[in-house]
Amino acid sequence: MVCDYAGAFLLTGSVSRSFAPGGRTPRGLRRLILLLSALTLGVAPPAVAQPSVSVGLDYWSDYFWRGFSFYGDADSARGVFFPWTSCSWKDLSFSVVGELPQSMLGGNPNATEEAWAGVDFILGYSTSLFDDRLLLGSRIAYFLYPNSPDENPDGARNDFIDLGLSLQLDTLPLKPKLEYSHYLRVDDRDGQQTALEDIYLRFSVRHDFEPLEHLMLTTSGSIAYFWYPSSEYWNSPAVGGNGDDYRGVSDIVGSIRATTDLWSRFTPYASLNVAFVPDQDFYRVWGKDQRVHLWVTVGISYQWSL
């Protein structure tokens, strides 16, 4: 899984070739990487910037991920902690994000939580174009799940690479943003699982306002389409599924987030989130209808300059 802590990210073809199954990158994937690299690397970064470091801890009461509650159903949601650190310099950033299910602290994780507890390594690049009218971001991330070979019956790894690109029109009202995410699974389970085709597209808007000094409120909304071919493996009739991969409008989400800078360098924040899941492929992922999800997130960060 991935959380958007680092903003936008740098793409390089050599990393993706190293982790693609068999060590080779398909022609179509090479073209995608070259295109994204050209878009990001062709823009000159600002001449002056001071390096900074941030650390933080986030908690989600329900790990809602792209259409469903990942660690349980909406009636018995299970929380997750995300400890993280990020270093930024000019338009580059590097983040390390941990994923620790709440149940593991209590000693009673389920099989999904055991297999998907992990660490995310995220390299990013972002910049602005046309007098700050257009914000461009890209990323490459590697998601490591060290317990997965022991927890999966076939010994497969859950690790994957995520290539991302985002475009935001920052001068328009509501700051419309389009995000593209392409998943590359490291393990194709001996050719039984689609490894290179998962795609997630999201369109979002947001509005920031400051009702009180030192208090920022952000309201946001998004709609996403998830083409999820690799789900066909674990949705097969052999494991009780219907044999189809998931694809469709996976989530429509609304959020309100409060952030305060009342304490120097410390930034507490919290959000209330609601999601509507219109497509049956996603709202029946745990075998029962779960069209509406409600969860809260809380966190705190600390930042300093080098």
Side-chain angles (χ1 to χ4, degrees), residues 210-257:
E210 191 172 3
L212 299 171
E213 187 178 6
H214 301 296
L215 176 64
M216 177 67 71
L217 295 182
T218 301
T219 57
S220 62
S222 66
I223 183 170
Y225 181 89
F226 195 8
W227 184 36
Y228 197 9
S230 66
S231 64
E232 185 174 1
Y233 175 83
W234 48 266
N235 193 36
S236 68
V239 294
N242 58 25
D244 297 327
D245 57 12
Y246 298 171
R247 63 183 68 190
V249 178
S250 58
D251 52 279
I252 301 172
V253 179
S255 300
I256 182 167
R257 176 185 172 103

Side-chain angles (χ1 to χ4, degrees), residues 133-136 166-179 202-207 219 221-222:
R133 291 184 176 88
L134 177 66
L135 298 183
L136 172 67
S166 65
L167 298 171
Q168 179 174 319
L169 297 174
D170 205 42
T171 58
L172 293 183
L174 301 181
K175 304 181 185 300
K177 183 177 183 179
L178 181 63
E179 298 168 90
R202 179 169 61 182
F203 175 77
S204 61
V205 293
R206 82 166 201 263
H207 176 64
T219 57
S222 66

Side-chain angles (χ1 to χ4, degrees), residues 69-109:
S69 297
F70 194 77
Y71 286 148
D73 59 48
D75 297 326
S76 58
R78 300 165 72 95
V80 61
F81 290 95
F82 296 102
W84 57 272
T85 183
S86 179
C87 181
S88 300
W89 179 68
K90 295 186 177 180
D91 288 342
L92 292 172
S93 66
F94 178 71
S95 301
V96 179
V97 183
E99 182 180 328
L100 182 65
Q102 177 182 342
S103 60
M104 296 190 75
L105 300 179
N108 62 338

Side-chain angles (χ1 to χ4, degrees), residues 34-136:
L34 289 173
L35 172 61
L36 299 183
S37 299
L39 285 172
T40 53
L41 299 179
V43 181
V48 178
Q50 188 173 7
S52 65
V53 176
S54 300
V55 296
L57 176 65
D58 290 12
Y59 173 76
W60 296 18
S61 64
D62 177 6
Y63 193 0
F64 180 80
W65 183 79
R66 300 187 174 183
F68 57 92
S69 297
F70 194 77
Y71 286 148
D73 59 48
D75 297 326
S76 58
R78 300 165 72 95
V80 61
F81 290 95
F82 296 102
W84 57 272
T85 183
S86 179
C87 181
S88 300
W89 179 68
K90 295 186 177 180
D91 288 342
L92 292 172
S93 66
F94 178 71
S95 301
V96 179
V97 183
E99 182 180 328
L100 182 65
Q102 177 182 342
S103 60
M104 296 190 75
L105 300 179
N108 62 338
N110 59 36
T112 302
E113 291 163 327
E114 286 275 15
W116 287 96
V119 184
D120 309 338
F121 303 91
I122 308 167
L123 182 64
Y125 178 88
S126 63
T127 194
S128 59
L129 304 172
F130 310 114
D131 296 325
D132 296 333
R133 291 184 176 88
L134 177 66
L135 298 183
L136 172 67

